[in-house]
């Protein structure tokens, strides 16, 4: 009996240490994590999720994930979540509203855990803050648009050529100039 009690305590101690290691791994993961029930309500989140969106665990757990999304992301989340439940995997991009109201762009990737009977049990979702990437993409788009407009409206002709001399691109001014040059008679010698 004494041996059984010692074995039981040893097993309990090992289980407790294992749970502590898992909790540390879960909470210190570099990406946000959330688990959702069949209705899309949050079962659990890790510290990175809380840090990214500014809410406390108590403010998040039990709430519908869609209530944290910006209005334009709610419908696409519902569609994505339906795919997740049906197919077992889904990903998408959404905007979550930080507790302070600022939008946070995120990449969502989820997998479903099913029970032995095949019924949905919960989802396991990783959330990555891609706000900086989205800002950089928008800045690049604006810069390219600005330079395209400059290229198309400037008075000087600009021609881009390949190494073999073929024309890759010419702005409208270059096209006008080249057409005028081509129409002019060449002077001898």
């Amino acid at each position: 009996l004494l041996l059984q009690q010692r074995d039981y305590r040893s097993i309990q101690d090992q289980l407790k240490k294992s749970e502590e290691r898992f909790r540390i791994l879960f909470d210190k993961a570099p990406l946000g994590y959330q688990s959702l029930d069949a209705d899309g309500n949050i079962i659990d989140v890790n510290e990175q999720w809380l840090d990214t969106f500014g809410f406390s665990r108590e403010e998040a757990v039990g709430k519908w994930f869609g209530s944290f999304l910006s209005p334009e992301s709610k419908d696409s989340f519902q569609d994505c979540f339906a795919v997740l439940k049906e197919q077992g995997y889904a990903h998408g991009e959404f905007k979550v509203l930080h507790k302070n109201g600022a939008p946070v762009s995120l990449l969502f990737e989820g997998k479903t855990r099913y029970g032995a009977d095949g019924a949905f049990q919960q989802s396991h979702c990783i959330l990555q803050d891609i706000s900086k990437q989205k800002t950089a993409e928008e800045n690049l788009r604006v810069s390219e648009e600005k330079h395209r407009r400059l290229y198309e409206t400037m008075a000087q002709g600009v021609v881009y050529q390949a190494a073999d001399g073929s024309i890759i691109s010419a702005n409208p001014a270059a096209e006008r100039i080249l057409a005028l040059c081509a129409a002019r008679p060449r002077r001898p010698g």
Side-chain angles (χ1 to χ4, degrees), residues 161-176:
Q161 290 180 288
D164 66 1
S166 62
I167 295 175
I168 297 171
S169 174
N171 72 349
E175 289 175 358
R176 280 191 309 276

Side-chain angles (χ1 to χ4, degrees), residues 68-73 93-97 103-106 134:
F68 295 95
L69 297 173
S70 66
E72 69 271 11
S73 289
E93 287 185 20
F94 307 109
K95 283 200 180 181
V96 171
L97 295 176
V104 178
S105 296
L106 68 88
K134 287 297 186 183

Side-chain angles (χ1 to χ4, degrees), residues 66-92:
S67 65
F68 295 95
L69 297 173
S70 66
E72 69 271 11
S73 289
K74 287 182 183 184
D75 287 341
S76 57
F77 168 70
Q78 287 180 311
D79 294 342
C80 183
F81 192 63
V83 169
L84 176 62
K85 288 178 12 178
E86 182 180 316
Q87 298 179 8
Y89 173 80
H91 67 278

Side-chain angles (χ1 to χ4, degrees), residues 5-186:
Q5 287 177 341
R6 231 180 290 151
D7 287 344
Y8 178 75
R9 277 185 249 164
S10 174
I11 291 170
Q12 290 289 11
D13 187 45
Q14 289 174 7
L15 180 61
K16 184 178 178 183
K17 287 178 182 176
S18 176
E19 287 174 352
E20 287 172 9
R21 281 193 304 270
F22 169 76
R23 185 44 106 181
I24 289 169
L25 174 65
F26 175 76
D27 276 336
K28 300 302 178 191
L31 298 175
Y33 168 87
Q34 69 184 15
S35 181
L36 304 175
D37 68 15
D39 296 321
N41 297 319
I42 296 173
I43 297 170
D44 201 1
V45 295
N46 69 352
E47 286 181 19
Q48 185 62 45
W49 190 102
L50 299 170
D51 292 345
T52 300
F53 305 123
F55 293 94
S56 69
R57 191 175 306 278
E58 294 74 28
E59 292 171 312
V61 173
K63 305 291 187 311
W64 181 56
F65 178 61
S67 65
F68 295 95
L69 297 173
S70 66
E72 69 271 11
S73 289
K74 287 182 183 184
D75 287 341
S76 57
F77 168 70
Q78 287 180 311
D79 294 342
C80 183
F81 192 63
V83 169
L84 176 62
K85 288 178 12 178
E86 182 180 316
Q87 298 179 8
Y89 173 80
H91 67 278
E93 287 185 20
F94 307 109
K95 283 200 180 181
V96 171
L97 295 176
H98 189 278
K99 187 174 182 176
N100 67 13
V104 178
S105 296
L106 68 88
L107 188 62
F108 169 98
E109 188 164 353
K111 285 196 167 194
T112 299
R113 188 176 102 206
Y114 299 100
D117 61 354
F120 178 94
Q121 284 194 324
Q122 71 185 79
S123 70
H124 300 280
C125 309
I126 294 174
L127 308 173
Q128 182 178 5
D129 182 353
I130 57 170
S131 299
K132 289 180 183 174
Q133 175 186 335
K134 287 297 186 183
T135 298
E137 288 172 1
E138 178 60 15
N139 290 343
L140 178 61
R141 187 195 66 73
V142 167
S143 176
E144 286 176 345
E145 176 65 20
K146 181 174 95 177
H147 288 96
R148 183 191 60 75
R149 279 194 312 266
L150 177 65
Y151 173 74
E152 290 176 355
T153 60
M154 64 190 301
Q156 295 80 14
V158 177
V159 176
Y160 291 107
Q161 290 180 288
D164 66 1
S166 62
I167 295 175
I168 297 171
S169 174
N171 72 349
E175 289 175 358
R176 280 191 309 276
I177 293 167
L178 291 173
L180 289 173
C181 290
R184 284 188 205 155
R186 301 189 108 198

